[in-house]
Amino acid sequence: MAVDRKKLILEAAAKSFSMFGYKATTMDQVAKIANVGKGTIYTFFKNKEQLFDEIITGLIMEMKLEADASFDPNSTFMENVHRTIMRMLEYRKEHQLTIKLFEEQKEMGTLEVKEVINRLENAILNYMKGHVQEAINKGEIKQCDPELTSFIIFKLYISLIFDWEKNHTPLQAEEIALTVERSLLEGLSIR
């Protein structure tokens, strides 16, 4: 049976980036973990950046599959938004590579990591934008700017999950869903 060296290298690189972060990962480390010569890596990837890019592309595809799996066409727009965003954010919290990247961004501000985090968030926002537009088309929600609405919803979830718990007891998923629904869909004003 032939060994898929490219897959082996990608797995080793993902492991190295997860353990050491982007900045501290070297092609020598990846070669050692993959148990291949460094030259073998260069037959598939020009440099560390290209290797990292392919891993992130795979990560985004995995996140999209997770989001698709949580989406239920028989549920309301808000139920789907909540379930899908919570699953993507849980995935982000659980996945060792994303944890390491967010730590590196916070501690060192590595430019390449910042760009990857933006890329991850943009992938989530674009995914949401499509579902917001679909909800508008179905008449489930009012006419609005799908991109802006996706941004507001996503950032509200980020704040309620990650920022709130810095100084407060973490909210349960149901509390987050209710807060978002009341704030965005129902509004806060008394009519």
Side-chain angles (χ1 to χ4, degrees):
M1 177 165 71
V3 176
D4 185 346
R5 294 202 189 285
K6 184 175 182 180
K7 183 179 177 191
L8 199 64
I9 292 165
L10 285 167
E11 289 170 356
K15 186 175 182 179
S16 184
F17 288 129
S18 296
M19 290 174 20
F20 307 113
Y22 174 80
K23 200 169 202 161
T25 291
T26 65
M27 293 301 243
D28 288 323
Q29 285 172 323
V30 173
K32 185 175 181 181
I33 294 170
N35 200 27
V36 299
K38 194 161 91 170
T40 304
I41 296 174
Y42 289 110
T43 61
F44 298 104
F45 304 99
K46 287 189 301 191
N47 52 36
K48 180 170 87 168
E49 292 76 20
Q50 188 181 40
L51 181 58
F52 189 54
D53 182 66
E54 186 148 341
I55 290 168
I56 297 305
T57 298
L59 181 68
I60 289 170
M61 287 174 33
E62 284 177 32
M63 286 179 73
K64 187 177 182 316
L65 290 173
E66 288 284 328
D68 286 343
S70 69
F71 190 83
D72 178 4
N74 298 317
S75 293
T76 67
F77 169 73
M78 261 332 279
E79 289 168 341
N80 275 320
V81 163
H82 176 70
R83 194 173 33 258
T84 303
I85 290 178
M86 290 301 290
R87 183 59 209 127
M88 285 190 283
L89 293 175
E90 285 169 15
Y91 181 86
R92 186 176 108 171
K93 274 177 114 172
E94 295 165 0
H95 199 280
Q96 193 58 44
L97 177 58
T98 58
I99 292 168
K100 189 65 175 177
L101 293 175
F102 278 92
E103 285 175 6
E104 184 172 336
Q105 165 61 20
K106 186 177 177 182
E107 293 170 11
M108 294 191 268
T110 307
L111 179 62
E112 293 85 355
V113 172
K114 183 179 180 181
E115 290 170 358
V116 162
I117 289 170
N118 286 338
R119 188 172 158 202
L120 288 170
E121 288 192 356
N122 285 334
I124 293 169
L125 290 170
N126 284 328
Y127 181 87
M128 288 179 58
K129 181 180 166 184
H131 287 290
V132 169
Q133 185 61 58
E134 188 177 314
I136 292 168
N137 295 345
K138 288 180 177 177
E140 289 184 64
I141 61 173
K142 293 178 185 177
Q143 185 66 38
C144 61
D145 179 332
E147 186 173 9
L148 180 59
T149 302
S150 298
F151 178 83
I152 291 167
I153 292 170
F154 182 68
K155 292 301 182 177
L156 183 54
Y157 268 90
I158 294 282
S159 294
L160 290 172
I161 294 168
F162 297 106
D163 298 335
W164 178 263
E165 68 182 33
K166 290 177 186 172
N167 298 310
H168 303 86
T169 304
L171 298 170
Q172 297 298 312
E174 297 79 28
E175 293 175 290
I176 294 168
L178 187 60
T179 300
V180 171
E181 192 164 342
R182 280 186 182 154
S183 300
L184 291 178
L185 293 184
E186 297 169 15
L188 296 175
S189 65
I190 300 172
R191 292 179 189 134

